[in-house]
Amino acid sequence: WIGGQLTSQAVPPDEHRWIESFGCTRSYRQFRDGIRQYYRQFFPLTAEAIALPHLNPGSGIVSRTSHEPRAAVAVLHGMLAPYIHSGQLQILYRHVLVEAETTGDQIRSVTVKCLDTGDQLVLLAPIYADATECGDLLPLAGIEYVTGAESAAQTGEPHAVEGPAQPMNMQGFTSCFAMDYRDGEDYTIAKPELYEFWRDYKPDFWPDRLLSLSGIKPSTLEPIQYGLFADTDKFPLFLYRQIADHRHFRAGTYPGSISLVNWPQNDYWLGPIIDVSEEERARHLYQAKQLSLSLLYWLQTAAPRPDGKAGYPGLRLRPDVVGTADGLAMYPYIRESRRIQAQFTVLEQHVAAACRTDGQAEKFHDSIGIGSYRIDLHPSTGGQSYIDISSLPFQIPLGSLIPKRVSNVLAAGKNIGVTHITNGCYRLHPVEWNIGEAAGYCASYCLDHNVNPTDIRSSGKELADFQNRLIQEGIELEWPSIHAV
């Protein structure tokens, strides 16, 4: 599936509180409007749901447009249809990068392989954008990059690690899944192979076993208790990322609401999947899937209930929702990528509320967009707990998309010039969309004007012309006066 976090990773969009009014690109707003229109046009909504100007299909707590990944796939294909049908855009599904050929400080070609046939294809282009989830082009092309946690000595960031940098200390990833609930029925899955391990696993920084309804409040690290449904006074995990609210639809459309499980209990941090051997990567991916399946099995058989019983066997895994046979998302939810050594790197000092005495994030002369989210780091492969601190609505600098050396490549996702810390607020759906869209416009501008990305950034005239084009295309380059998050 095209769409990354929204689709193959199955994560509904994390968005800031002003998203309905401002703070995203025009095309991202078209996508959000398209999601609502998709449900209005093709689904039998109730009269009450039809009347909602800002319909939230799933009523998820985390998002104002919480929706099924299949809906996102449909809307994205609709947005791309004119370009696909006219032959201007070709999508190579289920292809991976296997090689890059370089000449001096430029990439000459990249080779991709089809996972289904094994056939390889050489792609020649004047400029390349790396929008892979893990920055896969960077090592293949010899582009200088960093991973993991920088040291405080390197960046001066208040929350960077003391002592040497820790390149293998990366945020955990998650193998997400969807489920609904059929009370009185039994959909208990077979006991996962590693269930006993995960059932008994207790991290040092966790108040209880990971498979429990206990957790940590990220901003304070205080222990908290969760509920499953809205039948207690505790935070209801099922509603957290609920992606289909059956109450919005006429009776019989959905037998029950659908929830996407990307919870604290199935974050996986026992090891990274970047810059390790294929065997180690496969082991961690398998163990992460086993964690998610073990969480489901624990919920079905052992989770404490308000009525004093144990387990909710009516929780039903929904493979159809994520498009896989095993019921787990096609691709793990990746929070942290390889990151280019960029012409400009965004530091905690540029965006953290505690570092900005004037109440505004650093203003970047080369802004290509904006975003807003707390600096939110999940537990890491280095054994660190959450880092969750206030940030100010920020800009995206063009310099963070441009490698220091290679001249015909643009970072187009989580692989931009941010740190382990600032990745925590630049990694969300609307920001990544803006980064990718701006990278596309930058490549187009380079081809139209026979320049490279560095030329745009270093020339006041070129930069102003490029930024004017972004504005014309509906990309906001600065925030109005608003407050920290």
Side-chain angles (χ1 to χ4, degrees):
W1 283 349
I2 61 171
Q5 288 181 184
L6 287 165
T7 59
S8 58
Q9 297 176 42
V11 180
D14 289 287
E15 300 173 330
H16 57 74
R17 67 193 65 182
W18 306 284
I19 193 70
E20 300 294 357
S21 302
F22 52 83
C24 68
T25 74
R26 179 192 299 153
S27 68
Y28 185 76
R29 192 164 302 286
Q30 290 170 346
F31 167 77
R32 299 178 84 256
D33 292 343
I35 289 293
R36 287 168 170 154
Q37 181 58 28
Y38 178 79
Y39 283 95
R40 292 184 193 281
Q41 183 173 354
F42 297 113
F43 287 72
L45 297 173
T46 64
E48 293 79 9
I50 292 171
L52 291 171
H54 293 151
L55 173 66
N56 187 349
S59 303
I61 295 171
V62 78
S63 174
R64 292 163 177 81
T65 50
S66 192
H67 58 273
E68 297 165 82
R70 291 178 291 186
V73 173
V75 172
L76 289 169
H77 275 292
M79 295 175 72
L80 293 175
Y83 312 101
I84 296 172
H85 290 208
S86 63
Q88 297 178 75
L89 174 64
Q90 182 180 6
I91 301 174
L92 303 175
Y93 291 95
R94 292 184 52 74
H95 281 66
V96 295
L97 284 165
V98 293
E99 187 179 353
E101 181 185 358
T102 62
T103 303
D105 292 338
Q106 289 200 332
I107 294 180
R108 184 176 180 275
S109 70
V110 299
T111 302
V112 297
K113 181 178 73 172
C114 177
L115 293 174
D116 297 322
T117 66
D119 294 340
Q120 295 193 357
L121 188 64
V122 177
L123 307 176
L124 293 163
I127 192 164
Y128 298 83
D130 180 2
T132 60
E133 282 300 318
C134 296
D136 294 333
L137 178 62
L138 307 182
L140 292 175
I143 298 171
E144 293 80 5
Y145 68 90
V146 296
T147 62
E150 295 91 348
S151 71
Q154 289 175 304
T155 67
E157 294 173 303
H159 287 85
V161 297
E162 298 297 329
Q166 300 174 7
M168 302 311 288
N169 182 7
M170 308 176 201
Q171 284 189 74
F173 64 91
T174 305
S175 185
C176 302
F177 63 92
M179 64 182 184
D180 60 8
Y181 182 58
R182 305 290 299 275
D183 192 20
E185 301 183 26
D186 189 347
Y187 295 97
T188 304
I189 63 171
K191 186 169 75 170
E193 181 182 9
L194 299 183
Y195 176 69
E196 278 80 10
F197 171 83
W198 287 117
R199 180 197 61 197
D200 299 334
Y201 175 67
K202 182 190 179 302
D204 293 339
F205 53 84
W206 215 254
D208 197 349
R209 295 177 182 180
L210 186 60
L211 297 191
S212 69
L213 293 180
S214 299
I216 296 172
K217 186 176 182 181
S219 59
T220 64
L221 303 185
E222 296 172 315
I224 57 172
Q225 286 294 120
Y226 296 107
L228 185 56
F229 299 108
D231 53 1
T232 70
D233 59 353
K234 299 179 178 64
F235 183 89
L237 287 168
F238 193 92
L239 302 185
Y240 185 31
R241 286 186 169 88
Q242 187 172 274
I243 55 176
D245 183 349
H246 77 280
R247 299 170 302 173
H248 285 325
F249 305 89
R250 285 188 223 149
T253 305
Y254 284 84
S257 298
I258 302 172
S259 183
L260 193 285
V261 181
N262 172 23
W263 298 350
Q265 292 90 339
N266 64 326
D267 276 2
Y268 179 87
W269 53 68
L270 294 192
I273 56 173
I274 294 173
D275 289 352
V276 296
S277 69
E278 281 301 312
E279 293 77 14
E280 185 174 350
R281 181 176 185 273
R283 175 166 57 84
H284 289 311
L285 289 172
Y286 174 73
Q287 290 178 171
K289 287 189 171 188
Q290 282 287 301
L291 169 57
S292 288
L293 291 172
S294 295
L295 171 59
L296 174 60
Y297 185 77
W298 180 84
L299 290 168
Q300 292 173 325
T301 62
R305 300 167 53 120
D307 60 10
K309 299 178 181 178
Y312 295 85
L315 290 171
R316 177 173 61 162
L317 188 63
R318 292 292 302 271
D320 55 314
V321 172
V322 296
T324 63
D326 64 6
L328 299 168
M330 295 177 175
Y331 198 85
Y333 174 36
I334 304 294
R335 295 183 177 88
E336 189 172 330
S337 169
R338 300 177 181 92
R339 306 182 295 277
I340 61 169
Q341 290 188 16
Q343 291 190 2
F344 183 86
T345 299
V346 182
L347 305 176
E348 181 181 351
Q349 298 92 306
H350 294 132
V351 297
C355 298
R356 309 294 302 177
T357 57
D358 62 355
Q360 291 188 330
E362 183 81 17
K363 290 190 179 299
F364 301 126
H365 77 284
D366 59 344
S367 173
I368 54 169
I370 58 177
S372 178
Y373 204 75
R374 287 178 65 86
I375 294 176
D376 170 21
L377 279 74
H378 285 231
S380 71
T381 57
Q384 289 179 311
S385 187
Y386 292 98
I387 298 175
D388 187 290
I389 53 180
S390 176
S391 70
L392 292 153
F394 52 80
Q395 294 175 312
I396 306 164
L398 175 60
S400 68
L401 276 63
I402 306 174
K404 284 184 174 179
R405 180 179 60 83
V406 180
S407 62
N408 67 333
V409 172
L410 287 161
K414 297 183 183 73
N415 53 353
I416 65 170
V418 290
T419 65
H420 177 68
I421 301 298
T422 54
N423 163 76
C425 60
Y426 277 77
R427 66 177 175 81
L428 286 306
H429 305 68
V431 186
E432 278 207 82
W433 183 296
N434 190 325
I435 291 166
E437 188 173 352
Y441 281 123
C442 185
S444 173
Y445 187 94
C446 288
L447 297 179
D448 290 345
H449 296 82
N450 193 31
V451 295
N452 63 41
T454 297
D455 296 330
I456 298 175
R457 185 169 184 260
S458 62
S459 165
K461 181 183 182 304
E462 295 284 8
L463 180 60
D465 288 347
F466 175 55
Q467 288 175 319
N468 284 333
R469 179 174 179 184
L470 295 179
I471 292 170
Q472 291 169 4
E473 297 294 345
I475 296 180
E476 301 171 33
L477 302 187
E478 58 183 344
W479 285 94
S481 295
I482 46 181
H483 53 76
V485 295

